[in-house]
Amino acid sequence: MGEDADTRKINHSFLRDHSYVTEGNTPVVLPHPPAQGVSACPDALGRYYLLDAEWVDSTFFWSLNRSSPKNFTPYLALVENMEGESIFEVDSEDGVGADIISTVEFNHTGELLATGDKGGRVVIFQREPESKNEPHSQGEYNVYSTFQSHEPEFDYLKSLEIEEKINKIKWLPQQNAAHSLLSTNDKTIKLWKVTERDKRPEGYNLKDEEGKLKDLSTVTSLQVPVLKPMDLMVEVSPRRIFANGHTYHINSISVNSDCETYMSADDLRINLWHLAITDRSFNIVDIKPANMEDLTEVITASEFHPHHCNLFVYSSSKGSLRLCDMRASALCDKHSKLFEEPEDPSNRSFFSEIISSVSDVKFSHSGRFMLTRDYLTVKVWDLNMETKPIETYQVHDYLRSKLCSLYENDCIFDKFECAWNGSDSVIMTGAYNNFFRMFDRNTKRDVTLEASRESSKPRAILKPRRVCVGGKRRKDDISVDSLDFTKKILHTAWHPAENIIAIAATNNLYIFQDKVNSEMH
Amino acid sequence: MFARGIKRKCFDGEEDIEGTLAGFKAIPSYNLKRQSLLDMSLIKLQLCHMLVEPNLCRSVLIANTARQIQEEMTQDGTWQVINAQNTGQASLDQLASSDILCRSTKEQSDGKLIPSYSSFSKDFEDIQSQDIISDLSTVTSVQASRNPQGNVWEMENSPENRGNFQKSLDQIFGTLENKNPNSVEDLFSDVDNSYYDLDTVLTGTMSNTKMGHCDVLESFSSQTTTNSNINELDHIILHF
């Protein structure tokens, strides 16, 4: 914890003094670039359309540094540019495999942002409160705590190593001063409690400052220990370990709106747990066939309804969604509603099934809609209509003619996530080449942005990107053939209330915010 | 094209190969593409769990794709019936068994290849079950029904091996839920046998201690995994 405290200290001075510390360098004050002009204009009703706004890289991306596993350093170096100004330049060093971010999740207020990586670590960022003294700080995110959530394990019975990669993190609604989150790898879910300590008792009678027992002969008077402020320390402790519930790999966890239970889903089963009970769980969905050779469909994602504690949805590899009601029966193998879009015969190919496999499903904040992501599209479903989605957005349709190559290099199995904004008006998902896409449901407009070091300096405004598919090609367009398929944005998250997004690009975390329109409209 | 014909047929003479070629001339590229896709799928299934526990979703999707291709090829009539001992039915399982039969002559040490095919055929449900195998027996004993087809099956399919197959099939999908104590014993006996088989079957490829995984998903058919055919596979894939 001492390391964490140190990190936190540095980060505090980071913004408070409006100076930036790199390893070994003396603090330097940077001139703040002038605010960019706003291109967004309100409409007749005074609303700003999100996609007109400019997304700004408002904080530095953090790369997890493998050499100091409990710590991480910003990959920024202070250099002088051509005009003699001191600017930040990104370090070109690439991270290693264990630092690949595998999940990103805001908590319910958006104050905290948790990331999990392939090495089993969790890093929690906290948003600095906007202070009037430094209007430029803009509520940026800094490291709050890091801890090792899962370790690699070895299953001796199967002779298999269980990866420590964090598959999902879900925050529990905050009920007291502490924050709690669930993190899971392939097999085990853990409940972590994050607490702050900023006071410590001083003035013990029987022991001295270091905790050693005092020589009683030296004690001449009694004192009452008092609480004195201390440097803020963030402590994370494992409160529950939910193990041995899954034979297959866990792909989702979801906390129920009742705040007492949660579910975990693997490829073939979904279990319901009580947050306080670790030695048993209820199996609520089981699609394992009696004969494993008949297996043709697996569960790919699942989520509880945000308001109705009895409803949950799970998606399958065949592109169907099943809404289940736990009141109907103990085992929810029979769905209450089946959401499935009939296959388009004109687009049929050998890959139709694979690209229809749903990689992520998310309820809207309102609870009225569901968002699903399959390989080429994102779809919005109305819970009241099972026959087809109400909206379908093409994420990267230019890949449709390249499915065979993507099958060959396994990219066709990539599982992209999707996200709603706080008002359910915009949806976001990732793509290749470090691109991510946003779709405005109201205006039907969309934008492609890139999360990369080269194109985003701190506080730089993101420029919309375009992929050209032959034909006319504008300047700065990327052609389909020059897309980098190793740079994929699988994990994205949207602040629950504001226009702040977190994008995980391999081992880098980007946090972008809409500088002008911070509030949701 | 030529390689495809040769690879698929083990027993047939020249006339069949020529017949195949004639059929190919109609739409060579589509068939070739389809075949390459099938090849690719089968290789993926085999290689996907060389080192780590397989991603079940990916395996299922690849298996479904391969099955879909095979079904289409069956409907097309491009799926050749090879086995002369065949009773004449053109059902899927018959075709499958003949392919397996074909393969088994080349890989005599590996009995696991044979039943593994059954994992992707839906027609095996009605095949009689063996007492030795637990409730998973529907998976079958493709072997049992194929007894009349030759000694090749018999020598590969000792009861213990059949038990192994079941367990290996299960392991492909990562489960070790064995309520039947006998099957648990089979499981452990599997581990010992598999080592040998794994070495002999997978020479030249990376391997690990997980025996069943590779075997089960070899499945389907004409695409053999033996080293002798790797070159042919490459040849096919490059054409694609």
Side-chain angles (χ1 to χ4, degrees), chain B:
Chain B
M1 248 201 259
F2 296 87
R4 177 182 182 278
I6 290 170
K7 187 177 359 131
R8 184 178 294 281
K9 300 173 188 50
C10 309
F11 300 138
D12 290 358
E14 292 298 314
E15 57 276 15
D16 279 345
I17 294 175
E18 287 166 13
T20 307
L21 291 178
F24 281 175
K25 281 169 189 168
I27 10 166
S29 64
Y30 177 77
N31 280 352
L32 204 55
K33 277 187 184 176
R34 188 171 58 181
Q35 187 62 48
S36 306
L37 198 57
L38 185 58
D39 295 345
M40 210 192 313
S41 305
L42 295 174
I43 291 177
K44 276 185 186 300
L45 287 176
Q46 292 172 37
L47 297 178
C48 72
H49 26 250
M50 284 290 171
L51 292 176
V52 296
E53 201 173 352
N55 181 334
L56 187 63
C57 181
R58 182 172 169 275
S59 302
V60 167
L61 288 173
I62 296 174
N64 288 350
T65 305
R67 188 188 295 119
Q68 189 189 339
I69 295 173
Q70 198 210 16
E71 281 171 6
E72 189 180 296
M73 288 171 100
T74 306
Q75 284 163 15
D76 272 357
T78 52
W79 188 272
Q80 297 297 324
V81 176
I82 311 163
N83 190 358
Q85 294 176 356
N86 199 303
T87 55
Q89 292 175 10
S91 64
L92 197 61
D93 51 350
Q94 296 287 340
L95 295 172
S97 68
S98 51
D99 281 330
I100 291 165
L101 202 59
C102 165
R103 213 164 32 160
S104 67
T105 57
K106 291 181 184 174
E107 297 158 26
Q108 294 178 5
S109 57
D110 184 20
K112 290 183 179 57
L113 287 175
I114 300 168
S116 65
Y117 179 82
S118 64
S119 64
F120 298 102
S121 172
K122 296 187 172 79
D123 295 347
F124 292 143
E125 310 255 353
D126 52 344
I127 291 171
Q128 62 199 16
S129 53
Q130 298 285 316
D131 293 340
I132 298 152
I133 305 170
S134 58
D135 346 4
L136 304 171
S137 59
T138 49
V139 169
T140 223
S141 352
V142 172
Q143 307 78 4
S145 68
R146 303 285 168 253
N147 281 339
Q149 294 206 354
N151 297 331
V152 174
W153 289 91
E154 294 288 14
M155 70 182 169
E156 315 289 355
N157 303 316
S158 65
E160 190 183 313
N161 273 344
R162 282 195 216 99
N164 290 351
F165 305 146
Q166 298 308 321
K167 297 308 153 259
S168 62
L169 290 171
D170 254 355
Q171 282 187 6
I172 276 287
F173 298 118
T175 181
L176 274 187
E177 295 168 352
N178 295 317
K179 292 165 189 149
N180 186 337
N182 289 337
S183 52
V184 172
E185 285 172 17
D186 282 343
L187 177 66
F188 286 112
S189 66
D190 279 354
V191 177
D192 294 332
N193 292 332
S194 67
Y195 244 115
Y196 304 136
D197 294 328
L198 197 67
D199 286 338
T200 52
V201 172
L202 297 175
T203 48
T205 58
M206 292 198 295
S207 64
N208 63 356
T209 56
K210 288 174 285 305
M211 48 121 195
H213 300 255
C214 317
D215 303 333
V216 174
L217 296 180
E218 280 160 350
S219 75
F220 276 125
S221 65
S222 59
Q223 308 320 320
T224 65
T225 62
T226 55
N227 293 337
S228 61
N229 287 325
I230 291 293
N231 291 336
E232 290 169 356
L233 285 174
D234 288 342
H235 180 64
I236 291 297
I237 290 172
L238 285 173
H239 272 72
F240 177 76

Side-chain angles (χ1 to χ4, degrees), chain A residues 381-452:
Chain A
W381 301 77
D382 187 324
L383 285 189
N384 299 320
M385 186 163 82
E386 303 164 66
T387 52
K388 60 183 170 85
I390 56 170
E391 295 156 29
T392 301
Y393 300 96
Q394 301 294 332
V395 180
H396 37 205
D397 201 52
Y398 44 79
L399 297 182
R400 200 178 285 273
S401 55
K402 307 209 175 289
L403 290 179
C404 202
S405 317
L406 295 166
Y407 179 71
E408 194 175 359
N409 63 17
D410 272 0
C411 282
I412 207 174
F413 301 107
D414 286 337
K415 291 188 191 292
F416 292 94
E417 290 172 13
C418 51
W420 296 91
N421 74 337
S423 60
D424 298 337
S425 58
V426 181
I427 54 188
M428 168 173 72
T429 188
Y432 293 107
N433 210 74
N434 280 348
F435 287 168
F436 59 99
R437 305 259 284 140
M438 287 188 205
F439 303 90
D440 189 319
R441 297 179 59 215
N442 298 325
T443 64
K444 301 303 179 200
R445 288 170 55 215
D446 60 85
V447 71
T448 305
L449 299 170
E450 183 177 359
S452 81

Side-chain angles (χ1 to χ4, degrees), chain A residues 75-87:
Chain A
Y75 269 48
L76 294 168
L78 197 60
V79 295
E80 246 186 23
N81 70 354
M82 306 281 279
E83 286 84 56
E85 297 167 339
S86 297
I87 61 167

Side-chain angles (χ1 to χ4, degrees), chain A residues 172-220:
Chain A
L172 267 56
Q174 192 177 8
Q175 285 166 339
N176 49 37
H179 297 274
S180 300
L181 61 83
L182 288 169
S183 68
T184 183
N185 67 348
D186 282 339
K187 299 283 185 178
T188 306
I189 306 133
K190 294 187 184 178
L191 175 67
W192 294 89
K193 196 163 175 185
V194 185
T195 50
E196 288 185 2
R197 188 196 294 261
D198 61 355
K199 296 183 185 53
R200 67 156 181 254
E202 282 180 17
Y204 282 105
N205 290 299
L206 295 179
K207 48 182 181 174
D208 63 17
E209 291 305 308
E210 281 101 50
K212 286 188 297 194
L213 288 176
K214 283 185 190 173
D215 182 2
L216 289 181
S217 57
T218 64
V219 179
T220 52

Side-chain angles (χ1 to χ4, degrees), chain A residues 100-353:
Chain A
I100 293 174
I101 299 173
S102 50
T103 187
V104 186
E105 188 82 6
F106 280 100
N107 76 337
H108 295 274
T109 60
E111 181 205 353
L112 298 176
L113 173 67
T115 62
D117 70 10
K118 204 153 173 269
R121 286 167 300 186
V122 172
V123 179
I124 304 177
F125 298 84
Q126 185 187 44
R127 193 174 185 199
E128 294 294 323
E130 295 191 27
S131 70
K132 298 196 176 85
N133 297 338
E134 288 115 27
H136 304 309
S137 66
Q138 288 282 338
E140 295 185 353
Y141 285 82
N142 281 304
V143 178
Y144 182 63
S145 175
T146 74
F147 60 96
Q148 186 76 27
S149 170
H150 286 72
E151 301 274 0
E153 286 169 40
F154 196 74
D155 181 339
Y156 293 97
L157 193 59
K158 294 197 213 179
S159 290
L160 291 173
E161 193 173 288
I162 299 173
E163 269 192 270
E164 68 273 30
K165 173 170 74 100
I166 308 293
N167 291 337
K168 280 286 181 319
I169 290 175
K170 284 280 149 62
W171 290 93
L172 267 56
Q174 192 177 8
Q175 285 166 339
N176 49 37
H179 297 274
S180 300
L181 61 83
L182 288 169
S183 68
T184 183
N185 67 348
D186 282 339
K187 299 283 185 178
T188 306
I189 306 133
K190 294 187 184 178
L191 175 67
W192 294 89
K193 196 163 175 185
V194 185
T195 50
E196 288 185 2
R197 188 196 294 261
D198 61 355
K199 296 183 185 53
R200 67 156 181 254
E202 282 180 17
Y204 282 105
N205 290 299
L206 295 179
K207 48 182 181 174
D208 63 17
E209 291 305 308
E210 281 101 50
K212 286 188 297 194
L213 288 176
K214 283 185 190 173
D215 182 2
L216 289 181
S217 57
T218 64
V219 179
T220 52
S221 64
L222 286 179
Q223 57 181 347
V224 177
V226 291
L227 290 176
K228 293 259 176 74
M230 60 179 260
D231 293 329
L232 183 66
M233 189 157 34
V234 180
E235 297 171 334
V236 183
S237 59
R239 283 300 213 230
R240 305 265 190 276
I241 296 181
F242 304 91
N244 303 319
H246 290 276
T247 308
Y248 305 97
H249 291 179
I250 298 174
N251 52 55
S252 325
I253 49 175
S254 178
V255 183
N256 202 344
S257 51
D258 64 10
C259 301
E260 284 186 357
T261 57
Y262 75 95
M263 72 159 150
S264 56
D266 65 28
D267 292 316
L268 297 178
R269 297 191 178 98
I270 301 181
N271 291 339
L272 182 71
W273 304 80
H274 191 284
L275 284 166
I277 300 171
T278 60
D279 61 354
R280 72 195 100 113
S281 68
F282 289 100
N283 177 242
I284 53 177
V285 173
D286 187 342
I287 65 168
K288 178 174 184 245
N291 181 351
M292 276 298 278
E293 294 180 341
D294 294 337
L295 181 66
T296 56
E297 193 173 9
V298 298
I299 298 171
T300 51
S302 73
E303 198 185 40
F304 266 121
H305 191 279
H307 309 310
H308 302 302
C309 58
N310 56 299
L311 290 180
F312 66 93
V313 69
Y314 69 91
S315 61
S316 81
S317 58
K318 287 199 168 168
S320 65
L321 302 166
R322 285 174 172 80
L323 186 71
C324 300
D325 189 333
M326 293 197 290
R327 297 171 302 188
S329 69
L331 191 61
C332 299
D333 278 356
K334 276 188 77 170
H335 52 263
S336 296
K337 289 195 181 186
L338 173 64
F339 298 81
E340 209 168 20
E341 186 174 21
E343 200 178 354
D344 177 7
S346 61
N347 262 339
R348 185 158 165 63
S349 74
F350 285 119
F351 307 107
S352 294
E353 184 182 317

